[in-house]
Amino acid sequence: MKTRKEEHRSIKMIKTVAIILFLALLFTPEQMNRTVIAGIAIAGITGSLLFLLIPMLPRISVPAFLRDTHSHIQKRGKNRQKSPVFDMETLLIRQISYQITDKIKAAFPDASWEYTRPIKAEFLLNCDLIRIRTFHTGDYNFADISLDRYGHLKLFMMTITDFTPNLGRTNPDNPMPGNPENPAEPPVHVDPESWYSLIGKPLLTELIGDLQARGHQKLFINEAGEIFIYANNTPEIKDTFQHFPPRDYWAALMEIFTRDELKAAETNDTLEVSWA
């Protein structure tokens, strides 16, 4: 209320000043310079208006159309920052992987498989032959797959035997024996929650997505952080976790896996993680 009264008082003062200056200009004697008087009148009125408007400037709001434009630009900027969950190549490869799994499992319900080399979408689009290694498929252990020009999946099962002796192969039950001369020193302190969110979950999510597409239902993690699956009862390492928490923290890790909708259990000095 006080502010409105002050504004009303200021307007009355400007009107009074304007009337006085106008009368002074009207009744100025002819011998005086009316141009000077007119300049003084204009300057006075202008100054009075500025005196009234300056205090009101902080309360002047931005026009509605400018606010809408600014809001639209901000929303468009946020939308540009969003990245897709999957790129098109990854999505295509996984869809083809599911088709391969369905086709093999129709004949071998417990089957799973792996690509023998890193796969690219252009191999599929060019109708190239792609070799996969199969597990739990009877006498077959490999298969060639391809897409025809109509998008139909072709799969040819085969058996390949390696007659080359592999003298350097270690015992699969103990693939990396410990070195007593240089024992691994466990970290002083590990926060399982932080480790899982920063290191464990990103790698585990990618691995599970690929393994599930190829018919696998579980993976294993040993104390060295090696992630492996069993292919015909032989462990096959897929990747390795960095800074994997020592065994004292496995109980906490299993609780974290459970909260993330995974099943976890400790078996034979390894963590078994399943998602089926």
Side-chain angles (χ1 to χ4, degrees), residues 67-82:
R67 289 200 304 271
D68 294 341
T69 303
H70 180 66
S71 175
H72 177 70
I73 292 174
Q74 285 185 332
K75 290 181 180 178
R76 186 170 58 185
K78 290 181 180 179
N79 291 334
R80 287 180 179 176
Q81 292 175 358
K82 291 182 179 179

Short mmCIF file of all heavy atoms in Angstrom, two decimals, residues 67-82:
data_model
loop_
_atom_site.label_atom_id
_atom_site.label_comp_id
_atom_site.label_asym_id
_atom_site.label_seq_id
_atom_site.Cartn_x
_atom_site.Cartn_y
_atom_site.Cartn_z
N ARG A 67 9.96 -15.75 -22.33
CA ARG A 67 10.09 -16.85 -21.37
C ARG A 67 9.84 -18.19 -22.05
O ARG A 67 10.54 -19.17 -21.83
CB ARG A 67 9.11 -16.66 -20.21
CG ARG A 67 9.48 -15.52 -19.28
CD ARG A 67 8.77 -15.72 -17.95
NE ARG A 67 7.33 -15.84 -18.09
CZ ARG A 67 6.50 -14.80 -18.07
NH1 ARG A 67 6.96 -13.56 -17.92
NH2 ARG A 67 5.20 -15.00 -18.19
N ASP A 68 8.82 -18.25 -22.92
CA ASP A 68 8.52 -19.49 -23.61
C ASP A 68 9.66 -19.91 -24.53
O ASP A 68 10.02 -21.08 -24.63
CB ASP A 68 7.22 -19.35 -24.43
CG ASP A 68 6.01 -19.15 -23.52
OD1 ASP A 68 6.11 -19.49 -22.31
OD2 ASP A 68 4.99 -18.66 -24.02
N THR A 69 10.25 -18.92 -25.22
CA THR A 69 11.37 -19.21 -26.12
C THR A 69 12.55 -19.75 -25.34
O THR A 69 13.19 -20.72 -25.72
CB THR A 69 11.77 -17.95 -26.90
OG1 THR A 69 10.63 -17.47 -27.61
CG2 THR A 69 12.90 -18.27 -27.87
N HIS A 70 12.86 -19.09 -24.19
CA HIS A 70 13.98 -19.53 -23.36
C HIS A 70 13.73 -20.93 -22.82
O HIS A 70 14.64 -21.77 -22.82
CB HIS A 70 14.18 -18.54 -22.21
CG HIS A 70 15.31 -18.89 -21.30
ND1 HIS A 70 16.62 -18.87 -21.73
CD2 HIS A 70 15.33 -19.31 -20.01
CE1 HIS A 70 17.41 -19.23 -20.72
NE2 HIS A 70 16.65 -19.52 -19.68
N SER A 71 12.51 -21.20 -22.41
CA SER A 71 12.18 -22.54 -21.90
C SER A 71 12.31 -23.58 -22.99
O SER A 71 12.82 -24.67 -22.77
CB SER A 71 10.76 -22.54 -21.33
OG SER A 71 10.39 -23.82 -20.93
N HIS A 72 11.89 -23.22 -24.22
CA HIS A 72 11.99 -24.16 -25.33
C HIS A 72 13.45 -24.46 -25.66
O HIS A 72 13.82 -25.60 -25.92
CB HIS A 72 11.27 -23.57 -26.55
CG HIS A 72 11.38 -24.43 -27.77
ND1 HIS A 72 10.74 -25.64 -27.87
CD2 HIS A 72 12.08 -24.25 -28.93
CE1 HIS A 72 11.01 -26.17 -29.06
NE2 HIS A 72 11.82 -25.36 -29.71
N ILE A 73 14.29 -23.44 -25.62
CA ILE A 73 15.72 -23.63 -25.90
C ILE A 73 16.35 -24.52 -24.85
O ILE A 73 17.14 -25.41 -25.16
CB ILE A 73 16.44 -22.27 -25.96
CG1 ILE A 73 15.97 -21.48 -27.20
CG2 ILE A 73 17.95 -22.45 -26.01
CD1 ILE A 73 16.50 -20.07 -27.27
N GLN A 74 15.97 -24.32 -23.55
CA GLN A 74 16.52 -25.16 -22.50
C GLN A 74 16.10 -26.61 -22.68
O GLN A 74 16.90 -27.54 -22.53
CB GLN A 74 16.06 -24.66 -21.13
CG GLN A 74 16.79 -23.38 -20.68
CD GLN A 74 16.39 -22.99 -19.28
OE1 GLN A 74 15.27 -23.28 -18.85
NE2 GLN A 74 17.28 -22.32 -18.58
N LYS A 75 14.80 -26.84 -22.99
CA LYS A 75 14.33 -28.21 -23.18
C LYS A 75 15.01 -28.86 -24.38
O LYS A 75 15.39 -30.03 -24.34
CB LYS A 75 12.82 -28.22 -23.39
CG LYS A 75 12.03 -27.85 -22.13
CD LYS A 75 10.54 -27.89 -22.40
CE LYS A 75 9.74 -27.53 -21.16
NZ LYS A 75 8.29 -27.51 -21.41
N ARG A 76 15.21 -28.07 -25.46
CA ARG A 76 15.86 -28.63 -26.64
C ARG A 76 17.30 -28.99 -26.33
O ARG A 76 17.83 -30.00 -26.79
CB ARG A 76 15.80 -27.62 -27.79
CG ARG A 76 16.33 -28.16 -29.11
CD ARG A 76 16.02 -27.21 -30.24
NE ARG A 76 16.59 -25.90 -29.96
CZ ARG A 76 16.40 -24.83 -30.73
NH1 ARG A 76 15.62 -24.93 -31.79
NH2 ARG A 76 16.95 -23.67 -30.44
N GLY A 77 17.97 -28.15 -25.49
CA GLY A 77 19.34 -28.46 -25.10
C GLY A 77 19.42 -29.72 -24.28
O GLY A 77 20.33 -30.54 -24.44
N LYS A 78 18.46 -29.93 -23.36
CA LYS A 78 18.45 -31.14 -22.54
C LYS A 78 18.21 -32.37 -23.42
O LYS A 78 18.81 -33.41 -23.21
CB LYS A 78 17.38 -31.05 -21.46
CG LYS A 78 17.70 -30.03 -20.37
CD LYS A 78 16.61 -29.99 -19.32
CE LYS A 78 16.94 -28.97 -18.23
NZ LYS A 78 15.86 -28.91 -17.22
N ASN A 79 17.30 -32.23 -24.41
CA ASN A 79 17.03 -33.36 -25.27
C ASN A 79 18.25 -33.74 -26.09
O ASN A 79 18.48 -34.91 -26.39
CB ASN A 79 15.85 -33.05 -26.21
CG ASN A 79 14.54 -32.95 -25.45
OD1 ASN A 79 14.39 -33.54 -24.39
ND2 ASN A 79 13.60 -32.19 -25.98
N ARG A 80 19.05 -32.71 -26.49
CA ARG A 80 20.25 -33.01 -27.26
C ARG A 80 21.28 -33.75 -26.42
O ARG A 80 22.06 -34.54 -26.94
CB ARG A 80 20.86 -31.71 -27.79
CG ARG A 80 20.07 -31.08 -28.93
CD ARG A 80 20.73 -29.80 -29.39
NE ARG A 80 20.01 -29.19 -30.51
CZ ARG A 80 20.33 -28.02 -31.04
NH1 ARG A 80 21.36 -27.33 -30.57
NH2 ARG A 80 19.63 -27.54 -32.04
N GLN A 81 21.30 -33.51 -25.10
CA GLN A 81 22.29 -34.13 -24.25
C GLN A 81 21.98 -35.60 -24.00
O GLN A 81 22.85 -36.36 -23.62
CB GLN A 81 22.38 -33.39 -22.91
CG GLN A 81 22.97 -31.99 -23.05
CD GLN A 81 22.95 -31.23 -21.75
OE1 GLN A 81 22.47 -31.73 -20.73
NE2 GLN A 81 23.46 -30.02 -21.76
N LYS A 82 20.73 -36.02 -24.18
CA LYS A 82 20.36 -37.40 -23.93
C LYS A 82 20.95 -38.29 -25.02
O LYS A 82 20.85 -37.99 -26.20
CB LYS A 82 18.84 -37.56 -23.89
CG LYS A 82 18.19 -36.89 -22.68
CD LYS A 82 16.70 -37.13 -22.69
CE LYS A 82 16.03 -36.48 -21.48
NZ LYS A 82 14.56 -36.69 -21.49
#
